[in-house]
Amino acid sequence: MTGWFQTRVLAPGVFVTLEPAVHPMFRASIVTILGRDRDLQFDFGCGLLALRPALPLGAKPVVAVASHAHVDHIGGFHEFADRLGHASEATGFAGQPGVETFADEFRDWPDPVFHPPEPGWSIADWTLRPAALTGTLAEGDRIDLGDRQFTVLHLPGHSPGGIGLLDEVGGLFLSGDAIYDDEILDDLPGASIPDYLRTMDRLRTIDFRLAIGGHGPEMSRPRLIAIAEDYLRRRG
Ligand SMILES: [Zn+2]
Ligand SMILES: [Zn+2]
């Protein structure tokens, strides 16, 4: 069914795709950045329908990076050959049982979707497809698209291997679920409030113009700092 995915252009070569019919708890930002030599795909939705054909990707090689191994960010990760993420969540990406991807929570959610992606579809047909990492990313690693470079920031707290990508020159920050303009989830299995406090403290110091969070609207730098400082006040 067309229209399952909805893509917006934020800036030249910068796109955010959502699955509007997915329950807001699991409706995550799917970010595409077109580069001169290669493209970047950051996060992958819930995996209800094939994602890649719906994305504004061209014919260039694609670097696929997952912010972390929660179900709402890695559903379509398996559709990409070159899959990067943080090593501490490798078992989640690989689909090993007993690891916190929250796939079972999504399947058992009362209304995971507002309407089915295809006629006759049922959540019982859905599985989170394993997508083992083909390479790992760590703090300070660089992703080079030719005309844009991103630096990997390791931002644990929401999950142990949460990463953000920062384009210092372009002023663009992809923050995943490390920070977003919505309720911050820090009490999930695998989350750590002490780690989150350190991450929020660090996030206050990062320079950028626009941040795209894993959920919620885009954030200006003042807005992101306000969210981080609110968290530090509440939990610090
Ligand atoms: Zn998450
Ligand atoms: Zn999420």
Side-chain angles (χ1 to χ4, degrees):
M1 184 184 291
T2 55
W4 179 254
F5 297 101
Q6 215 170 71
T7 299
R8 283 181 300 132
V9 189
L10 286 196
V14 179
F15 304 85
V16 175
T17 298
L18 296 175
E19 294 171 285
V22 166
H23 190 283
M25 182 66 83
F26 296 95
R27 189 188 302 149
S29 307
I30 301 167
V31 183
T32 306
I33 312 277
L34 303 183
R36 188 192 65 205
D37 301 337
R38 57 190 68 80
D39 299 332
L40 168 67
Q41 183 55 45
F42 186 70
D43 282 355
F44 305 90
C46 291
L48 305 172
L49 279 191
L51 170 67
R52 190 171 181 152
L55 293 175
L57 289 165
K60 290 174 186 166
V62 179
V63 185
V65 177
S67 63
H68 64 305
H70 288 168
V71 57
D72 46 332
H73 300 262
I74 60 169
F77 201 22
H78 66 93
E79 299 174 42
F80 295 81
D82 189 11
R83 297 185 297 270
L84 305 178
H86 196 270
S88 64
E89 297 187 29
T91 51
F93 294 118
Q96 292 185 17
V99 176
E100 302 297 348
T101 60
F102 302 103
D104 292 340
E105 283 75 3
F106 181 62
R107 189 184 293 100
D108 296 340
W109 202 259
D111 298 299
V113 296
F114 298 141
H115 62 78
E118 295 178 305
W121 180 94
S122 139
I123 189 70
D125 306 330
W126 172 88
T127 53
L128 179 61
R129 297 272 298 272
L133 297 178
T134 61
T136 57
L137 293 173
E139 171 70 29
D141 283 351
R142 305 275 284 171
I143 295 168
D144 188 354
L145 306 184
D147 53 348
R148 269 179 189 272
Q149 283 79 34
F150 287 88
T151 303
V152 173
L153 310 184
H154 181 212
L155 303 169
H158 174 83
S159 71
I163 57 173
L165 298 181
L166 178 63
D167 171 1
E168 292 98 336
V169 175
L172 181 65
F173 178 37
L174 313 181
S175 66
D177 281 0
I179 190 165
Y180 48 83
D181 196 349
D182 203 339
E183 187 195 350
I184 298 290
L185 299 178
D186 65 357
D187 57 357
L188 306 165
S192 159
I193 291 174
D195 284 352
Y196 226 144
L197 287 166
R198 278 187 289 276
T199 285
M200 288 296 192
D201 191 43
R202 178 182 183 192
L203 286 167
R204 291 194 288 182
T205 68
I206 292 170
D207 197 18
F208 62 86
R209 276 199 307 278
L210 182 75
I212 304 172
H215 301 265
E218 289 79 54
M219 295 166 281
S220 66
R221 184 157 184 266
R223 179 63 189 148
L224 184 141
I225 290 172
I227 294 166
E229 292 188 339
D230 176 63
Y231 185 85
L232 292 166
R233 263 193 306 275
R234 285 189 293 114
R235 295 293 208 208

